Amino acid sequence: MNIQAMMKQAQKLQKDMMKAKEEIDNKIFIGKSSLVSVEVMGNKTISKIHIESIDSDDIELLEDMIVVAINDAMRQIDKETEEKLGKYTQGMPGLF
């Protein structure tokens, strides 16, 4: 394989990686707990939080449920990122 072919292949790989990353960044992931749902963009920006009715006595529970929902969405993002980009980053953890 000559250098030009290798460069073309590398450019295609880079383009494919960037497209996959852009798809993930623009996707909305919904994390849920019993009282809270959170919408998080693939770039890990929170776009919306929905809270079910709750008594003011349950604020601490609500805070815990928000954390659970956000962590759920973040795990979904990490999983999809690994599924879509892992084939490009084998042996290079933490690239994305």
Side-chain angles (χ1 to χ4, degrees):
M1 185 179 283
N2 65 29
I3 298 287
Q4 278 186 316
M6 287 175 53
M7 290 299 291
K8 275 189 167 183
Q9 187 176 9
Q11 288 172 342
K12 182 184 181 320
L13 181 64
Q14 182 181 22
K15 184 179 175 184
D16 292 347
M17 285 175 56
M18 296 310 293
K19 182 180 177 193
K21 179 70 172 130
E22 186 177 325
E23 287 174 7
I24 293 168
D25 286 349
N26 292 322
K27 184 175 177 178
I28 295 175
F29 295 82
I30 300 173
K32 295 182 180 181
S33 65
S34 58
L35 300 173
V36 177
S37 65
V38 178
E39 290 184 11
V40 182
M41 301 298 294
N43 62 6
K44 298 188 176 181
T45 301
I46 297 170
S47 58
K48 188 176 189 180
I49 297 176
H50 176 75
I51 301 170
E52 299 292 325
S53 297
I54 189 165
D55 295 331
S56 61
D57 297 338
D58 293 331
I59 295 300
E60 188 174 323
L61 174 65
L62 177 61
E63 291 169 345
D64 291 342
M65 293 296 102
I66 291 171
V67 170
V68 168
I70 290 172
N71 287 335
D72 180 42
M74 297 299 179
R75 278 190 293 277
Q76 291 176 44
I77 294 167
D78 291 342
K79 181 181 177 197
E80 184 151 336
T81 300
E82 179 60 33
E83 288 172 0
K84 287 193 173 184
L85 296 176
K87 61 185 173 189
Y88 302 115
T89 62
Q90 293 173 351
M92 297 180 285
L95 189 60
F96 287 97

